[in-house]
């Protein structure tokens, strides 16, 4: 028997084994930059939490409607319309912001409101394993982990405050949106009166209550365009100039509401030609993308939902179909 040979083979085997062990340890430690599970967040959890938060905010909006609204003005919009805020905005902000913040302490959240009411931060932590009623389809979706530092959540605790104070409740929504590195990925829009919630998870699916909409080629020559009711004059003119005399312009309120009318095929286009804030847009942007529609500025640029800038100054065009066709018809430079 040749002991030397056996020894040589064992040496070689030991070397290989050691090398493999080294590779495994090296590879594992590469992954160990994530030392803390709380550096990651599960998007499926954020979707559930978004629905719960929007619905909690919505309950505040409804319960406050007959109380003292304490309407104050945040000044005027660019078109000179009043920009009101009420105690309902603040109550919903507290419910939405702190429901999320208490559940995900490391999450960066941008809200339209800041001022709170007494006990603002005392909101119940959301149970991430339970699914909001009517949305069981989420249980069948896969978990997806992302770095929490890449996530910005945008919330609008009460969209269409002006109409809320006028009792035009059909326009009122609460919204939550998840942007990853500035890209809107999950959007939640909740209607607190006649309560219902719509959501979209880009590249995955939407809530079951969003209808299928078929493309109609003939709409291109006679599109319906939804615009803001608080300053419809100029944008109506722009729409007719751009899309032709057969264009029908419908005034409505609430960016959330208006995007949803395009998502569900009621109207072909949502056009906005003045300054607008990103908490008004983010959720709708994620939802319209989830149904293969598009939201861009009137220059055709995608909107970046990183937390540093809250304003969109180049207007907004939202369509479910034929986005580039309509975009090319818009004047290249829209006067503000
Ligand atoms: C579409 O959305 C608008 C705004 O929420 C709503 O008023 C309308 O009833 C919806 N239509 C359909 C067909 O879902």
């Amino acid at each position: 028997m040749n002991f030397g040979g056996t020894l040589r083979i064992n040496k070689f085997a030991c070397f290989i084994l050691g090398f493999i062990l080294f590779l495994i340890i090296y590879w594992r430690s590469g992954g160990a930059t994530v030392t803390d599970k709380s550096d990651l967040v599960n998007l499926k959890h954020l979707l559930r939490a978004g629905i719960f938060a929007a619905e909690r905010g919505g309950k505040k909006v409804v319960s406050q409607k007959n109380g003292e609204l304490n309407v104050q003005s945040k000044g005027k919009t660019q078109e000179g319309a009043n920009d009101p805020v009420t105690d309902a905005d603040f109550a919903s902000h507290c419910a939405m912001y702190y429901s999320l913040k208490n559940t995900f302490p490391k999450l960066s959240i941008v809200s339209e409101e800041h001022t709170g009411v007494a006990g603002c931060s005392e909101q119940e932590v959301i149970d991430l394993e339970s699914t909001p009623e009517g949305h069981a389809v989420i249980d069948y979706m896969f978990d997806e982990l992302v770095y929490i530092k890449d996530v910005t959540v945008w919330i609008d605790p009460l969209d269409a405050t002006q109409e809320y104070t006028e009792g035009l409740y059909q326009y009122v929504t609460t919204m939550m949106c998840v942007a990853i590195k500035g890209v809107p990925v999950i959007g939640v829009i909740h209607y607190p009166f006649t309560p219902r919630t719509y959501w979209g998870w880009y590249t995955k699916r939407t809530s079951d209550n969003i209808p299928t909409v078929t493309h109609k080629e003939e709409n291109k020559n006679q599109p319906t365009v939804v615009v803001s009711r608080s300053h419809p004059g100029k944008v109506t003119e722009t729409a007719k100039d751009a899309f032709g005399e057969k264009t029908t312009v419908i005034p409505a309120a609430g960016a959330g509401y208006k995007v949803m009318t395009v998502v569900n095929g009621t109207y072909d286009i949502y056009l906005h030609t003045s300054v607008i804030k990103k908490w008004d847009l983010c959720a709708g942007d994620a939802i319209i993308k989830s149904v293969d529609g598009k939201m861009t500025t009137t220059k055709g640029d995608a909107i970046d939902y990183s937390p540093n800038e809250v304003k969109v100054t180049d207007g907004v065009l939202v369509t479910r179909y034929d986005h580039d066709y309509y975009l090319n018809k818009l004047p290249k430079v829209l006067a503000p």
Side-chain angles (χ1 to χ4, degrees):
M1 208 183 267
N2 186 342
F3 289 100
T6 313
L7 195 64
R8 260 198 308 282
I9 289 165
N10 284 351
K11 262 186 186 166
F12 183 69
C14 279
F15 172 75
I16 292 294
L17 198 67
F19 186 67
I20 288 170
L21 268 171
F22 168 76
L23 277 182
I24 289 172
I25 290 163
Y26 185 79
W27 170 67
R28 294 286 300 202
S29 68
T33 48
V34 183
T35 46
D36 191 342
K37 259 188 163 177
S38 69
D39 288 336
L40 295 171
V41 65
N42 184 344
L43 291 179
K44 182 163 141 177
H45 287 172
L46 270 181
L47 171 58
R48 285 186 181 134
I51 297 169
F52 278 121
E55 293 183 351
R56 282 185 190 176
K59 288 201 181 100
K60 297 288 178 192
V61 170
V62 173
S63 69
Q64 293 259 332
K65 85 173 158 61
N66 295 322
E68 181 57 62
L69 284 183
N70 192 18
V71 185
Q72 297 160 55
S73 179
K74 289 196 283 187
K76 296 228 180 289
T77 65
Q78 201 193 19
E79 298 77 24
N82 185 35
D83 187 12
V85 63
T86 69
D87 281 357
D89 295 70
F90 299 139
S92 176
H93 161 78
C94 294
M96 290 183 71
Y97 186 92
Y98 285 103
S99 290
L100 292 168
K101 197 72 187 169
N102 296 347
T103 309
F104 305 96
K106 288 189 181 176
L107 190 62
S108 126
I109 308 169
V110 185
S111 173
E112 176 171 10
E113 307 306 335
H114 304 281
T115 321
V117 292
C120 188
S121 61
E122 290 152 32
Q123 308 293 335
E124 207 183 313
V125 168
I126 294 164
D127 174 6
L128 298 172
E129 297 308 326
S130 80
T131 294
E133 212 188 304
H135 301 277
V137 67
I138 297 170
D139 297 345
Y140 300 94
M141 299 181 77
F142 290 117
D143 294 322
E144 192 167 312
L145 298 177
V146 296
Y147 286 107
I148 203 160
K149 67 175 168 52
D150 292 337
V151 174
T152 307
V153 164
W154 292 79
I155 59 175
D156 190 338
L158 205 176
D159 189 31
T161 302
Q162 177 62 40
E163 287 67 27
Y164 176 70
T165 64
E166 294 173 32
L168 299 171
Y169 298 129
Q170 72 271 27
Y171 297 125
V172 172
T173 60
T174 61
M175 298 192 271
M176 184 273 197
C177 176
V178 179
I180 301 169
K181 294 187 172 170
V183 177
V185 173
I186 292 174
V188 177
I189 299 184
H190 171 65
Y191 291 73
F193 302 92
T194 60
R196 58 198 199 277
T197 306
Y198 300 92
W199 55 264
W201 184 347
Y202 179 50
T203 72
K204 297 223 160 31
R205 59 166 300 147
T206 69
S207 50
D208 285 330
N209 50 3
I210 293 180
T212 311
V213 176
T214 50
H215 177 238
K216 294 199 187 76
E217 186 66 23
E218 64 270 24
N219 287 12
K220 284 187 188 171
N221 297 318
Q222 46 187 35
T224 49
V225 186
V226 65
V227 304
S228 171
R229 79 182 267 275
S230 59
H231 38 84
K234 218 170 155 292
V235 64
T236 300
E237 213 175 288
T238 307
K240 293 211 169 194
D241 283 351
F243 309 132
E245 273 308 310
K246 287 193 206 153
T247 303
T248 308
V249 176
I250 302 96
Y257 177 95
K258 281 176 276 184
V259 174
M260 282 313 299
T261 61
V262 175
V263 168
N264 74 19
T266 305
Y267 306 123
D268 300 309
I269 301 166
Y270 165 30
L271 179 65
H272 188 94
T273 53
S274 52
V275 174
I276 189 162
K277 305 285 179 52
K278 289 177 185 173
W279 43 72
D280 288 329
L281 297 176
C282 189
D285 200 337
I287 296 175
I288 194 82
K289 286 202 316 178
S290 307
V291 295
D292 295 328
K294 229 171 165 182
M295 175 186 290
T296 65
T297 68
T298 56
K299 288 181 175 166
D301 299 323
I303 298 161
D304 180 352
Y305 298 91
S306 306
N308 33 351
E309 175 57 61
V310 303
K311 275 187 202 162
V312 176
T313 50
D314 292 327
V316 178
L317 178 72
V318 184
T319 60
R320 187 144 178 179
Y321 293 109
D322 302 314
H323 195 85
D324 293 344
Y325 173 85
Y326 294 120
L327 187 63
N328 286 330
K329 299 214 158 240
L330 281 175
K332 282 290 160 277
V333 179
L334 282 168

